[in-house]
Amino acid sequence: AGERLGHGTALFTNPREWYAKRRQLHKRRQDHLIDLFWARALLAQGDRHDGLERDPQLSRLAGDLIEDRFGQVVAKNCRDQKSHYLDLNKWPSEAALYQELDPGQKPDRLIMVEIDESYIALVEALRARVIQRVWRREVVLEACPTSNMLISGLASYGDLPYLNLNRSGFADERSLKHPILMTLNTDNPGNLNT
């Protein structure tokens, strides 16, 4: 309890709606691989403290995405690290982890990520797990409307997705059983005039 998460805007956003406008993304190769690696790990392990069950089906989906996007050798390297998924001390940095998973490849190389139904399903499942973890641990989300609007290129404050957080993106007025705590803040007043 007492933790905070700054700029948790992704939790406010319905992944299916967000990706409907973006069928392709450009990401650094390292970032995409490590995102899928940790997704697979978190889904395979579960977390009893936060009431998160293992999800072997979605964990396999993350593994399939690794193989489809990075090849069999990288997928095998990821499987070989299975026992170390959550041992953050094993790797001194993300760069070290990446070199172990994808040796010889340039980590900063931009790749095009195709957004398909399986990728969206994975992001939705991970978002739901993070929301549950945030609620159970009583983490307060910090939202900085001016900063978020300017950085994301939105036209107005009304376009910010904050109202969706406690409705979890539902079209009707249903709300989450356990609402998420949130504060509205200024961010970098010297640069953003907040």
Side-chain angles (χ1 to χ4, degrees), residues 117-137:
E117 187 58 37
S118 60
Y119 187 79
I120 293 171
L122 182 64
V123 172
E124 287 176 326
L126 292 168
R127 175 183 177 251
R129 292 171 91 80
V130 170
I131 288 173
Q132 183 171 348
R133 179 171 279 172
V134 164
W135 168 74
R136 284 197 177 252
R137 293 188 183 191

Side-chain angles (χ1 to χ4, degrees):
E3 296 180 59
R4 67 175 189 79
L5 176 64
H7 297 285
T9 309
L11 293 181
F12 303 113
T13 305
N14 179 312
R16 189 162 300 280
E17 291 173 11
W18 196 83
Y19 285 123
K21 300 173 190 166
R22 298 158 183 88
R23 299 315 290 178
Q24 297 175 337
L25 297 175
H26 289 89
K27 291 180 79 172
R28 289 181 343 142
R29 183 178 174 92
Q30 172 180 318
D31 294 342
H32 190 50
L33 176 57
I34 289 175
D35 287 348
L36 291 172
F37 176 80
W38 290 119
R40 183 174 184 208
L42 294 172
L43 292 164
Q45 301 286 326
D47 188 333
R48 285 182 289 160
H49 174 73
D50 288 326
L52 299 169
E53 298 292 323
R54 293 176 60 245
D55 193 330
Q57 182 178 356
L58 278 172
S59 180
R60 276 191 300 280
L61 172 61
D64 291 345
L65 287 169
I66 291 170
E67 186 165 337
D68 290 347
R69 294 169 182 204
F70 296 93
Q72 292 179 345
V73 171
V74 173
K76 181 185 181 311
N77 292 344
C78 289
R79 286 190 301 273
D80 290 348
Q81 295 302 322
K82 186 174 184 179
S83 63
H84 303 291
Y85 273 149
L86 300 178
D87 180 8
L88 299 178
N89 296 321
K90 179 170 176 21
W91 302 286
S93 66
E94 284 189 348
L97 169 60
Y98 177 75
Q99 286 307 311
E100 199 162 322
L101 299 177
D102 198 8
Q105 293 294 323
K106 293 182 178 179
D108 291 333
R109 191 177 104 215
L110 286 180
I111 60 172
M112 186 172 16
V113 177
E114 295 288 335
I115 306 302
D116 57 16
E117 187 58 37
S118 60
Y119 187 79
I120 293 171
L122 182 64
V123 172
E124 287 176 326
L126 292 168
R127 175 183 177 251
R129 292 171 91 80
V130 170
I131 288 173
Q132 183 171 348
R133 179 171 279 172
V134 164
W135 168 74
R136 284 197 177 252
R137 293 188 183 191
E138 298 178 344
V139 174
V140 177
L141 297 182
E142 293 181 356
C144 305
T146 301
S147 172
N148 295 152
M149 185 182 74
L150 293 172
I151 291 169
S152 63
L154 298 173
S156 72
Y157 290 106
D159 293 335
L160 290 167
Y162 300 148
L163 296 177
N164 286 332
L165 178 64
N166 284 319
R167 291 186 348 177
S168 193
F170 295 127
D172 60 21
E173 293 302 315
R174 293 181 292 167
S175 63
L176 290 175
K177 184 176 181 181
H178 308 287
I180 303 299
L181 303 172
M182 182 178 82
T183 64
L184 294 176
N185 304 285
T186 60
D187 185 23
N188 199 347
N191 290 336
L192 299 173
N193 246 359
T194 57

